[in-house]
PDB file of all heavy atoms in Angstrom:
ATOM      1  N   THR A 223      20.069  -4.388  23.066  1.00  0.00           N
ATOM      2  CA  THR A 223      20.142  -3.027  22.522  1.00  0.00           C
ATOM      3  C   THR A 223      18.788  -2.336  22.624  1.00  0.00           C
ATOM      4  O   THR A 223      18.704  -1.137  22.715  1.00  0.00           O
ATOM      5  CB  THR A 223      20.602  -3.075  21.048  1.00  0.00           C
ATOM      6  OG1 THR A 223      19.723  -3.884  20.310  1.00  0.00           O
ATOM      7  CG2 THR A 223      22.019  -3.640  20.961  1.00  0.00           C
ATOM      8  N   ARG A 224      17.749  -3.106  22.564  1.00  0.00           N
ATOM      9  CA  ARG A 224      16.398  -2.571  22.715  1.00  0.00           C
ATOM     10  C   ARG A 224      15.507  -3.678  23.278  1.00  0.00           C
ATOM     11  O   ARG A 224      15.846  -4.852  23.164  1.00  0.00           O
ATOM     12  CB  ARG A 224      15.844  -2.093  21.362  1.00  0.00           C
ATOM     13  CG  ARG A 224      15.664  -3.156  20.330  1.00  0.00           C
ATOM     14  CD  ARG A 224      15.175  -2.596  19.015  1.00  0.00           C
ATOM     15  NE  ARG A 224      16.200  -1.723  18.404  1.00  0.00           N
ATOM     16  CZ  ARG A 224      16.038  -1.097  17.260  1.00  0.00           C
ATOM     17  NH1 ARG A 224      14.862  -1.150  16.658  1.00  0.00           N
ATOM     18  NH2 ARG A 224      16.982  -0.358  16.756  1.00  0.00           N
ATOM     19  N   ARG A 225      14.458  -3.304  23.907  1.00  0.00           N
ATOM     20  CA  ARG A 225      13.574  -4.305  24.518  1.00  0.00           C
ATOM     21  C   ARG A 225      13.007  -5.219  23.419  1.00  0.00           C
ATOM     22  O   ARG A 225      12.404  -4.730  22.473  1.00  0.00           O
ATOM     23  CB  ARG A 225      12.460  -3.626  25.271  1.00  0.00           C
ATOM     24  CG  ARG A 225      11.498  -4.593  25.947  1.00  0.00           C
ATOM     25  CD  ARG A 225      10.448  -3.844  26.726  1.00  0.00           C
ATOM     26  NE  ARG A 225      11.047  -3.080  27.826  1.00  0.00           N
ATOM     27  CZ  ARG A 225      10.359  -2.280  28.626  1.00  0.00           C
ATOM     28  NH1 ARG A 225       9.046  -2.149  28.466  1.00  0.00           N
ATOM     29  NH2 ARG A 225      10.975  -1.622  29.585  1.00  0.00           N
ATOM     30  N   PRO A 226      13.175  -6.561  23.542  1.00  0.00           N
ATOM     31  CA  PRO A 226      12.656  -7.441  22.525  1.00  0.00           C
ATOM     32  C   PRO A 226      11.146  -7.314  22.400  1.00  0.00           C
ATOM     33  O   PRO A 226      10.429  -7.171  23.382  1.00  0.00           O
ATOM     34  CB  PRO A 226      13.041  -8.855  23.058  1.00  0.00           C
ATOM     35  CG  PRO A 226      14.170  -8.610  23.996  1.00  0.00           C
ATOM     36  CD  PRO A 226      13.907  -7.285  24.604  1.00  0.00           C
ATOM     37  N   GLN A 227      10.667  -7.338  21.159  1.00  0.00           N
ATOM     38  CA  GLN A 227       9.246  -7.237  20.921  1.00  0.00           C
ATOM     39  C   GLN A 227       8.600  -8.602  21.067  1.00  0.00           C
ATOM     40  O   GLN A 227       8.974  -9.581  20.436  1.00  0.00           O
ATOM     41  CB  GLN A 227       8.936  -6.684  19.543  1.00  0.00           C
ATOM     42  CG  GLN A 227       9.380  -5.239  19.328  1.00  0.00           C
ATOM     43  CD  GLN A 227       9.034  -4.684  17.965  1.00  0.00           C
ATOM     44  OE1 GLN A 227       8.826  -5.482  17.009  1.00  0.00           O
ATOM     45  NE2 GLN A 227       8.962  -3.412  17.817  1.00  0.00           N
ATOM     46  N   ARG A 228       7.609  -8.680  21.928  1.00  0.00           N
ATOM     47  CA  ARG A 228       6.868  -9.940  22.107  1.00  0.00           C
ATOM     48  C   ARG A 228       6.065 -10.188  20.864  1.00  0.00           C
ATOM     49  O   ARG A 228       5.482  -9.307  20.246  1.00  0.00           O
ATOM     50  CB  ARG A 228       5.958  -9.814  23.336  1.00  0.00           C
ATOM     51  CG  ARG A 228       5.182 -11.065  23.686  1.00  0.00           C
ATOM     52  CD  ARG A 228       4.436 -10.918  24.978  1.00  0.00           C
ATOM     53  NE  ARG A 228       3.487  -9.823  24.937  1.00  0.00           N
ATOM     54  CZ  ARG A 228       2.204  -9.970  24.593  1.00  0.00           C
ATOM     55  NH1 ARG A 228       1.749 -11.173  24.240  1.00  0.00           N
ATOM     56  NH2 ARG A 228       1.367  -8.946  24.553  1.00  0.00           N
ATOM     57  N   TYR A 229       6.011 -11.438  20.448  1.00  0.00           N
ATOM     58  CA  TYR A 229       5.267 -11.828  19.218  1.00  0.00           C
ATOM     59  C   TYR A 229       4.067 -12.713  19.542  1.00  0.00           C
ATOM     60  O   TYR A 229       2.987 -12.494  19.042  1.00  0.00           O
ATOM     61  CB  TYR A 229       6.196 -12.528  18.246  1.00  0.00           C
ATOM     62  CG  TYR A 229       5.553 -12.934  16.939  1.00  0.00           C
ATOM     63  CD1 TYR A 229       5.235 -11.981  16.001  1.00  0.00           C
ATOM     64  CD2 TYR A 229       5.236 -14.274  16.702  1.00  0.00           C
ATOM     65  CE1 TYR A 229       4.608 -12.337  14.802  1.00  0.00           C
ATOM     66  CE2 TYR A 229       4.618 -14.649  15.540  1.00  0.00           C
ATOM     67  CZ  TYR A 229       4.317 -13.661  14.584  1.00  0.00           C
ATOM     68  OH  TYR A 229       3.687 -14.032  13.413  1.00  0.00           O
ATOM     69  N   ALA A 230       4.315 -13.738  20.359  1.00  0.00           N
ATOM     70  CA  ALA A 230       3.240 -14.710  20.614  1.00  0.00           C
ATOM     71  C   ALA A 230       2.044 -14.015  21.307  1.00  0.00           C
ATOM     72  O   ALA A 230       2.217 -13.291  22.286  1.00  0.00           O
ATOM     73  CB  ALA A 230       3.767 -15.845  21.520  1.00  0.00           C
ATOM     74  N   GLY A 231       0.908 -14.190  20.740  1.00  0.00           N
ATOM     75  CA  GLY A 231      -0.318 -13.670  21.316  1.00  0.00           C
ATOM     76  C   GLY A 231      -0.615 -12.221  20.961  1.00  0.00           C
ATOM     77  O   GLY A 231      -1.644 -11.675  21.387  1.00  0.00           O
ATOM     78  N   THR A 232       0.233 -11.608  20.134  1.00  0.00           N
ATOM     79  CA  THR A 232       0.040 -10.205  19.773  1.00  0.00           C
ATOM     80  C   THR A 232      -0.821 -10.069  18.526  1.00  0.00           C
ATOM     81  O   THR A 232      -1.015 -11.058  17.790  1.00  0.00           O
ATOM     82  CB  THR A 232       1.360  -9.486  19.530  1.00  0.00           C
ATOM     83  OG1 THR A 232       2.004 -10.120  18.381  1.00  0.00           O
ATOM     84  CG2 THR A 232       2.256  -9.632  20.746  1.00  0.00           C
ATOM     85  N   ASP A 233      -1.315  -8.871  18.280  1.00  0.00           N
ATOM     86  CA  ASP A 233      -2.064  -8.595  17.035  1.00  0.00           C
ATOM     87  C   ASP A 233      -1.171  -8.910  15.817  1.00  0.00           C
ATOM     88  O   ASP A 233      -1.681  -9.341  14.781  1.00  0.00           O
ATOM     89  CB  ASP A 233      -2.502  -7.157  16.973  1.00  0.00           C
ATOM     90  CG  ASP A 233      -3.659  -6.863  17.889  1.00  0.00           C
ATOM     91  OD1 ASP A 233      -4.100  -7.796  18.610  1.00  0.00           O
ATOM     92  OD2 ASP A 233      -4.174  -5.715  17.878  1.00  0.00           O
ATOM     93  N   ARG A 234       0.140  -8.719  15.945  1.00  0.00           N
ATOM     94  CA  ARG A 234       1.026  -8.991  14.823  1.00  0.00           C
ATOM     95  C   ARG A 234       0.989 -10.471  14.454  1.00  0.00           C
ATOM     96  O   ARG A 234       0.994 -10.842  13.279  1.00  0.00           O
ATOM     97  CB  ARG A 234       2.443  -8.533  15.179  1.00  0.00           C
ATOM     98  CG  ARG A 234       3.420  -8.691  14.042  1.00  0.00           C
ATOM     99  CD  ARG A 234       4.790  -8.215  14.433  1.00  0.00           C
ATOM    100  NE  ARG A 234       5.775  -8.625  13.459  1.00  0.00           N
ATOM    101  CZ  ARG A 234       7.035  -8.945  13.739  1.00  0.00           C
ATOM    102  NH1 ARG A 234       7.453  -8.826  14.996  1.00  0.00           N
ATOM    103  NH2 ARG A 234       7.876  -9.297  12.815  1.00  0.00           N
ATOM    104  N   GLN A 235       0.931 -11.331  15.464  1.00  0.00           N
ATOM    105  CA  GLN A 235       0.825 -12.741  15.191  1.00  0.00           C
ATOM    106  C   GLN A 235      -0.488 -13.065  14.481  1.00  0.00           C
ATOM    107  O   GLN A 235      -0.534 -13.830  13.517  1.00  0.00           O
ATOM    108  CB  GLN A 235       0.965 -13.587  16.469  1.00  0.00           C
ATOM    109  CG  GLN A 235       0.871 -15.075  16.202  1.00  0.00           C
ATOM    110  CD  GLN A 235       0.834 -15.918  17.458  1.00  0.00           C
ATOM    111  OE1 GLN A 235       0.565 -15.423  18.530  1.00  0.00           O
ATOM    112  NE2 GLN A 235       1.064 -17.211  17.318  1.00  0.00           N
ATOM    113  N   VAL A 236      -1.574 -12.472  14.987  1.00  0.00           N
ATOM    114  CA  VAL A 236      -2.891 -12.747  14.402  1.00  0.00           C
ATOM    115  C   VAL A 236      -2.931 -12.246  12.952  1.00  0.00           C
ATOM    116  O   VAL A 236      -3.472 -12.891  12.066  1.00  0.00           O
ATOM    117  CB  VAL A 236      -4.003 -12.095  15.250  1.00  0.00           C
ATOM    118  CG1 VAL A 236      -5.362 -12.431  14.665  1.00  0.00           C
ATOM    119  CG2 VAL A 236      -3.912 -12.549  16.680  1.00  0.00           C
ATOM    120  N   ARG A 237      -2.334 -11.083  12.713  1.00  0.00           N
ATOM    121  CA  ARG A 237      -2.294 -10.529  11.349  1.00  0.00           C
ATOM    122  C   ARG A 237      -1.551 -11.492  10.424  1.00  0.00           C
ATOM    123  O   ARG A 237      -1.962 -11.744   9.281  1.00  0.00           O
ATOM    124  CB  ARG A 237      -1.579  -9.170  11.367  1.00  0.00           C
ATOM    125  CG  ARG A 237      -2.427  -8.033  11.880  1.00  0.00           C
ATOM    126  CD  ARG A 237      -1.551  -6.831  12.233  1.00  0.00           C
ATOM    127  NE  ARG A 237      -0.795  -6.332  11.116  1.00  0.00           N
ATOM    128  CZ  ARG A 237      -1.169  -5.251  10.387  1.00  0.00           C
ATOM    129  NH1 ARG A 237      -2.265  -4.576  10.696  1.00  0.00           N
ATOM    130  NH2 ARG A 237      -0.425  -4.850   9.374  1.00  0.00           N
ATOM    131  N   GLY A 238      -0.441 -12.052  10.930  1.00  0.00           N
ATOM    132  CA  GLY A 238       0.291 -13.014  10.141  1.00  0.00           C
ATOM    133  C   GLY A 238      -0.506 -14.251   9.818  1.00  0.00           C
ATOM    134  O   GLY A 238      -0.428 -14.780   8.678  1.00  0.00           O
ATOM    135  N   LEU A 239      -1.268 -14.749  10.763  1.00  0.00           N
ATOM    136  CA  LEU A 239      -2.092 -15.927  10.536  1.00  0.00           C
ATOM    137  C   LEU A 239      -3.208 -15.646   9.521  1.00  0.00           C
ATOM    138  O   LEU A 239      -3.486 -16.482   8.630  1.00  0.00           O
ATOM    139  CB  LEU A 239      -2.707 -16.399  11.856  1.00  0.00           C
ATOM    140  CG  LEU A 239      -1.738 -16.937  12.886  1.00  0.00           C
ATOM    141  CD1 LEU A 239      -2.428 -17.169  14.210  1.00  0.00           C
ATOM    142  CD2 LEU A 239      -1.101 -18.253  12.394  1.00  0.00           C
TER     143      LEU A 239
END
Side-chain angles (χ1 to χ4, degrees):
T223 56
R224 63 183 67 181
R225 181 177 297 177
Q227 293 183 340
R228 183 173 62 91
Y229 181 74
T232 63
D233 285 3
R234 186 178 166 212
Q235 181 186 15
V236 182
R237 285 163 59 101
L239 293 172

